[in-house]
Amino acid sequence: MSVSDIQPAPNARRPATAGMPKLHMAIFAVLFVLLAVLPLLVYPVFAMKVMCFALFAAAFNLLLGFGGLLSFGHAAYFGGASYVAAHASKVWGLTPELSILVGTLAAALLGLAIGSLAIRRQGIYFAMVTLAFAQMFYFFALQADFTGGEDGIQSVPRGSLFGIFPVDSNEALYYLVLAVTFGGILFLYRIVHSPFGQVLKAIRENEPRAISLGYRVNRYKLMVFVLSAAFAGLAGATKSQVFQLASLTDVHWSMSGEVVLMTLLGGVGTVFGPILGATIVVTMQNYLASMGAWVTVIQGVIFVLGVLLFREGIVGVISKWLKRPL
Amino acid sequence: MFELLGIPPQVLMGQLLLGLINGSFYAVLSLGLAVIFGLLNIINFSHGAQYMLGAFVAWMLLEYLGINYWWALILVPVIVGATGVVLEKLALRRLYHLDHLYGLLLTFGVALIIQGLFRNYYGISGLPYSIPSQLSGGQNLGFMFLPNYRGWVVVASVVVCFGTWFVIEKTRLGAYLRAATENPTLVGAFGINVPLMIMLTYGFGVALAGFAGVLAAPIYSVNPNMGADLIIVVFAVVVIGGMGSIMGAIVTGFGLGVIEGLTKVFYPAGSAVVIFVIMAIVLMIKPEGLFGRNN
């Protein structure tokens, strides 16, 4: 048994690359409408935080759920991009969309560097290698000049989108964040359901067979690693614009653990699981913030129970009931 | 006195000693990881938390029960090892038929629980644990001053490491263990209780972490985060050495500690990352690790 076994059975009647199933389309549509009116119901900054983490978890899920690779160092790309985007906005004076783009590219490059080394090992070694490199990046962020050490990069200006539309207000920025994160998640969905995604699944299920079929497995692994790092970076860069801050929290190993938790809780290898998982974890942190270290204990308990009793995650269980992939 | 590249020998020797002490902890901790990995095929992510637990239990024994360092050195590994046995019996055992990554995730969760609990009750400021009176003071070696306790840490680690190596490689019990690593089903067919052996092996690996925690208590302040960052470095050590051999884990642990110490002398800014850089180089030229077996 492997990580792949917690995947719901694929819908056999239609090829997986043939457009979006109606159910998925309906859920995305409902989600979009809900998110469009959400700032009327909750504090926009909180909603934006949830969306950034949903994209982060979805990017992580691309690697674990579809590539079968457990990275324990995704904070490096998330936090690294957040530093670069914050620096680009504050020091270079770039507009928000360019800062986010620069941050994302930086995360992709970092992913390329770390990924090309990490894919030389498999399984738990892969997890340890990614964690160790992320820790190396953490030390870099702690000591480098441009990151501001313990202080981080503070009061990052939000500026104007394309230099025209000011996004200083939370309400205006909200719709930019909605567009970026929702677009990012749809793009990830497209990757998973493309021929490239099918090859990834083949490698995950049986690597020697994929090699014997002539696929250059390591290239696919590296590509999915870079894509996952880039989208994690997109999420981190966007978050730096929301909070106008880039700090060591985002590159710390506990952040790498949190994104694993979100994905595991929602359902590894599902489309909507990471979104739900991120929503639950961020909401929990928000309401339990006054409880200090108990939040860590609760997260640990969720990890343990999740692994022992609940490996499919919430969306995975629902998907089993409905007998449809979600 | 001689000088090397303009570095006074006191500085060089001092850092070498510090490196050797860090190396002692790397060696004992990566040895524990290797022993556990050999039989259970999981990476024990809670190893750092169990090392911290060892230091805290030693502190509690002294603070609440007045039990001194020397008794703690024996009692703590037993207590911490027992918590490991319970963890194996209640949780880890259920995961052996699954992907090994689940063991990693479970033990990561356990680490969060242990660290969170201790942060709640003891804060993060750190608690003092004094050096036992028999080991206070130091020796003047002429070229440097050697604090007795630090010398003791290195000696105790070396003894424990080689004791473990001897048991696993040279005794009958170790032979069973190595056989079960290769083929647990066949060893079970010979009438050996493999599940019991697995449980005790996990307990022993965890006990090693607890032992390292007691050794560390008088040197580093006892605090809930003391294991979290250390364990990531130990993971890098394990990737460099490869977990195929017990001796490999020991040699890599001490060696990398010394290299880290030397880096502090010649290029201080790089000392935090030198082990990760070595890991990158090893991944490029010998991905299975220096002592690793390619499987």
Side-chain angles (χ1 to χ4, degrees), chain B residues 13-236:
Chain B
M13 287 299 169
Q15 289 301 340
L16 263 182
L17 177 68
L18 276 181
L20 209 52
I21 288 168
N22 281 340
S24 304
F25 291 114
Y26 296 160
V28 176
L29 291 173
S30 61
L31 176 64
L33 285 179
V35 168
I36 292 170
F37 180 78
L39 206 53
L40 284 79
N41 268 318
I42 63 157
I43 270 296
N44 185 31
F45 214 127
S46 48
H47 218 65
Q50 283 150 340
Y51 156 85
M52 178 270 284
L53 192 62
F56 260 99
V57 173
W59 180 85
M60 287 167 162
L61 286 176
L62 184 68
E63 189 74 14
Y64 302 140
L65 302 172
I67 293 172
N68 71 19
Y69 175 84
W70 300 104
W71 281 107
L73 217 45
I74 300 165
L75 286 175
V76 169
V78 174
I79 296 169
V80 176
T83 64
V85 167
V86 172
L87 176 64
E88 197 279 339
K89 198 155 176 62
L90 292 181
L92 283 174
R93 180 164 290 191
R94 295 161 203 269
L95 300 176
Y96 295 146
H97 62 287
L98 299 171
D99 193 300
H100 304 324
L101 293 175
Y102 285 115
L104 180 92
L105 295 177
L106 181 97
T107 49
F108 178 72
V110 171
L112 289 183
I113 295 173
I114 300 175
Q115 278 160 11
L117 285 176
F118 277 91
R119 268 220 306 276
N120 259 318
Y121 292 110
Y122 295 97
I124 50 164
S125 51
L127 306 162
Y129 188 96
S130 52
I131 293 174
S133 56
Q134 296 88 337
L135 291 174
S136 56
Q139 307 294 326
N140 194 343
L141 302 179
F143 58 91
M144 67 173 291
F145 181 78
L146 172 69
N148 285 340
Y149 187 79
R150 299 191 174 231
W152 156 251
V153 167
V154 176
V155 172
S157 307
V158 170
V159 168
V160 165
C161 284
F162 283 92
T164 307
W165 171 82
F166 184 81
V167 170
I168 291 177
E169 298 290 337
K170 301 290 173 197
T171 65
R172 197 171 183 78
L173 178 67
Y176 290 150
L177 211 68
R178 280 177 287 133
T181 305
E182 295 293 331
N183 192 335
T185 321
L186 196 62
V187 173
F190 282 123
I192 291 162
N193 190 344
V194 175
L196 178 73
M197 201 153 78
I198 290 177
M199 185 172 85
L200 293 178
T201 302
Y202 184 75
F204 177 73
V206 172
L208 280 177
F211 178 79
V214 188
L215 284 183
I219 306 183
Y220 308 118
S221 79
V222 178
N223 79 76
N225 293 332
M226 64 191 286
D229 291 335
L230 179 63
I231 197 61
I232 302 178
V233 180
V234 174
F235 280 173

Side-chain angles (χ1 to χ4, degrees), chain B residues 251-276:
Chain B
V251 171
T252 320
F254 279 106
L256 286 172
V258 170
I259 291 175
E260 198 183 39
L262 288 177
T263 315
K264 267 197 192 103
V265 180
F266 295 107
Y267 182 58
S271 65
V273 295
V274 63
I275 289 182
F276 301 124

Side-chain angles (χ1 to χ4, degrees), chain A residues 98-208:
Chain A
L98 286 178
S99 296
I100 292 174
L101 193 66
V102 172
T104 307
L105 283 175
L109 282 176
L110 189 62
L112 183 66
I114 294 179
S116 57
L117 288 170
I119 58 163
R120 289 160 177 263
R121 299 301 312 256
Q122 275 109 36
I124 46 181
Y125 279 102
F126 181 86
M128 287 194 288
V129 168
T130 47
L131 174 63
F133 279 126
Q135 184 75 350
M136 184 174 165
F137 187 77
Y138 174 83
F139 283 123
F140 167 75
L142 189 64
Q143 290 174 351
D145 288 328
F146 89 97
T147 56
E150 301 272 355
D151 298 331
I153 305 177
Q154 297 179 0
S155 50
V156 176
R158 280 180 178 172
S160 302
L161 186 63
F162 305 117
I164 305 168
F165 310 108
V167 286
D168 295 311
S169 76
N170 286 334
E171 287 71 21
L173 186 66
Y174 180 86
Y175 289 98
L176 171 64
V177 173
L178 174 61
V180 170
T181 53
F182 206 83
I185 287 174
L186 284 177
F187 200 95
L188 285 167
Y189 183 92
R190 187 71 198 92
I191 293 173
V192 168
H193 295 88
S194 69
F196 172 74
Q198 297 303 304
V199 177
L200 283 182
K201 277 182 208 161
I203 295 171
R204 185 193 63 191
E205 299 297 334
N206 193 333
E207 190 171 331

Side-chain angles (χ1 to χ4, degrees), chain A residues 287-324:
Chain A
Y287 286 102
L288 303 182
S290 58
M291 292 174 69
W294 282 113
V295 178
T296 314
V297 178
I298 294 169
Q299 286 182 347
V301 171
I302 297 176
F303 252 112
V304 171
L305 294 181
V307 169
L308 285 177
L309 312 169
F310 208 52
R311 283 182 289 275
E312 294 98 341
I314 298 170
V315 171
V317 169
I318 297 173
S319 162
K320 244 186 191 171
W321 281 344
L322 297 179
K323 297 194 173 69
R324 283 178 186 203

